């Protein structure tokens, strides 16, 4: 039987860069498809994060206000995407907003009040890990709001977002779309990993049981809140790494920031992965 090619200690000691190591691997005929995909992803991620730093500097310099909203079913990859966005950004002009359930005082306030105080200040970019759109899907599905509250929200949110638009606040709304099978696989992975078990909640568990109900309210949300001035951007996220870099490309494509023409990678998103909401397009969820 022919022996499989292997890497030796001498091989590792003889190289100083990933490129040199890959050349030896290729020369020996060793298949590393998965490793190559990972390396390509890391390289692409680095190039896009360099552009995000440039974008952030431009936002700060020009006193722009930018809010990027990540919505989607549980385990769709909202938190992971935001972490990659913020990884190398200056924390002084970047914020993550991930609000807990409202207090008794907040329950008595106008619904949007707790979110208004989290909106970006001049020169700031803010990432929302869930947003006011909790009331569009999660709350009615789980019974956390009544029908009057839900209907009032649907009437008010386009007006609220139009006021933001007229005042110069840039709002980018992502819906991360995940299939039912992939969501279940990620739930099981969380449960089996002690470091990720904290992510799994009773609400998550019911996500599979109430899948069709979530779908109904998601479609209602799109039909009532997808507007020309504040469109929904749907991202296919069964491949998390692919989704992260394409979300970055979409955000970068929305601004003419300083140094954009010097980018070392493509800054326009793949339309097969990132697209404006369109009813006739088949989504994963």
């Amino acid at each position: 039987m022919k022996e499989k090619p292997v890497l030796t200690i001498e091989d590792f000691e003889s190289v100083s860069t990933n490129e040199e190591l890959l050349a030896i691997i290729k020369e020996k005929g060793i298949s590393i498809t998965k490793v190559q995909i990972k390396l390509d992803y890391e390289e692409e991620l680095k190039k896009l994060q360099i552009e995000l730093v440039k974008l952030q500097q431009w936002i700060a310099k020009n006193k722009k206000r930018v809010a990027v909203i990540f919505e989607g079913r549980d385990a769709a990859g909202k938190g992971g995407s935001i972490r990659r966005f913020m990884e190398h950004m200056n924390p002084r002009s970047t914020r993550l907003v991930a609000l807990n359930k409202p207090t008794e005082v907040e329950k008595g306030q106008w619904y949007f009040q707790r979110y208004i105080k989290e909106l970006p200040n001049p020169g700031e970019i803010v990432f929302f890990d869930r947003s006011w759109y909790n009331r569009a899907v999660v709350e009615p599905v789980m019974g956390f709001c009544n029908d009057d509250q839900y209907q009032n929200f649907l009437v008010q949110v386009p007006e609220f977002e139009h006021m933001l638009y007229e005042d110069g606040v840039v709002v980018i709304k992502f819906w991360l779309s995940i299939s039912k099978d992939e969501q279940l696989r990620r739930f099981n992975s969380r449960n089996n990993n002690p470091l990720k078990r904290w992510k799994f909640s009773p609400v998550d568990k019911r996500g599979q049981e109430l899948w069709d109900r979530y779908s109904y309210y998601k479609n209602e949300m799109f039909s009532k809140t997808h507007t020309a001035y504040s469109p929904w951007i749907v991202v296919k996220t069964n491949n998390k790494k692919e989704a992260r870099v394409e979300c970055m490309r979409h955000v970068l494509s929305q601004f003419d920031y300083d140094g954009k023409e010097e980018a070392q990678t493509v800054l326009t998103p793949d339309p097969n992965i990132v697209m404006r909401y369109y009813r006739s397009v088949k989504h994963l969820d």
Side-chain angles (χ1 to χ4, degrees), residues 223-236:
S223 69
K224 302 293 196 303
T225 66
H226 175 72
T227 59
Y229 51 84
S230 188
W232 276 105
I233 306 300
V234 179
V235 185
K236 295 180 179 178

Side-chain angles (χ1 to χ4, degrees), residues 47-197:
K47 291 176 181 176
L48 290 167
Q49 287 175 330
I50 289 171
E51 296 306 305
L52 287 171
V53 170
K54 287 154 64 173
L55 172 63
Q56 183 188 26
Q57 292 171 339
W58 179 83
I59 288 171
K61 175 183 174 183
N62 292 279
K63 305 298 182 186
K64 300 293 183 182
R65 292 170 290 163
V66 180
V68 185
I69 292 172
F70 285 84
E71 291 287 345
R73 296 177 191 261
D74 297 308
K78 298 179 289 295
S81 294
I82 294 171
R83 278 197 301 277
R84 272 65 178 194
F85 265 90
M86 297 181 67
E87 192 171 6
H88 298 289
M89 286 183 162
N90 186 339
R92 289 177 180 152
S93 54
T94 312
R95 277 190 292 121
L96 166 64
V97 177
L99 298 183
N100 290 317
K101 65 180 182 180
T103 64
E104 287 303 312
V105 171
E106 288 172 331
K107 287 179 182 178
Q109 296 173 345
W110 179 44
Y111 177 73
F112 292 95
Q113 190 167 333
R114 68 195 299 246
Y115 293 102
I116 288 173
K117 60 187 178 184
E118 302 293 348
L119 289 170
N121 297 310
E124 193 175 42
I125 180 169
V126 175
F127 296 93
F128 285 84
D129 186 345
R130 295 200 184 279
S131 66
W132 45 88
Y133 280 101
N134 268 338
R135 180 142 293 180
V137 181
V138 175
E139 289 192 14
V141 167
M142 302 303 297
F144 296 156
C145 70
N146 59 44
D147 190 59
D148 285 343
Q149 291 171 325
Y150 170 69
Q151 295 297 338
N152 286 338
F153 171 82
L154 291 180
V155 171
Q156 291 177 5
V157 71
E159 298 178 9
F160 172 64
E161 290 177 352
H162 192 255
M163 286 190 289
L164 296 179
Y165 170 76
E166 287 190 323
D167 203 54
V169 180
V170 177
V171 178
I172 297 172
K173 303 189 304 194
F174 284 123
W175 176 269
L176 304 188
S177 180
I178 184 175
S179 68
K180 189 175 184 180
D181 289 344
E182 178 62 15
Q183 185 192 56
L184 180 60
R185 189 194 68 76
R186 292 183 190 177
F187 281 168
N188 291 335
S189 175
R190 286 180 177 182
N191 255 338
N192 294 330
N193 186 338
L195 295 176
K196 293 184 177 180
R197 203 167 290 153

Side-chain angles (χ1 to χ4, degrees), residues 218-281:
K218 177 202 70 172
N219 290 328
E220 287 294 295
M221 176 191 74
F222 284 149
S223 69
K224 302 293 196 303
T225 66
H226 175 72
T227 59
Y229 51 84
S230 188
W232 276 105
I233 306 300
V234 179
V235 185
K236 295 180 179 178
T237 63
N238 273 6
N239 183 324
K240 286 195 286 189
K241 291 183 174 65
E242 195 175 64
R244 288 167 189 161
V245 297
E246 296 304 330
C247 282
M248 289 179 179
R249 289 190 220 277
H250 177 79
V251 171
L252 292 165
S253 72
Q254 302 302 297
F255 302 92
D256 290 321
Y257 57 89
D258 297 336
K260 186 174 184 178
E261 65 282 353
E262 299 163 8
Q264 298 298 303
T265 187
V266 176
L267 300 183
T268 50
D270 184 339
N272 294 304
I273 299 170
V274 178
M275 64 205 78
R276 285 170 68 105
Y277 167 72
Y278 191 55
R279 189 185 298 277
S280 65
V281 173

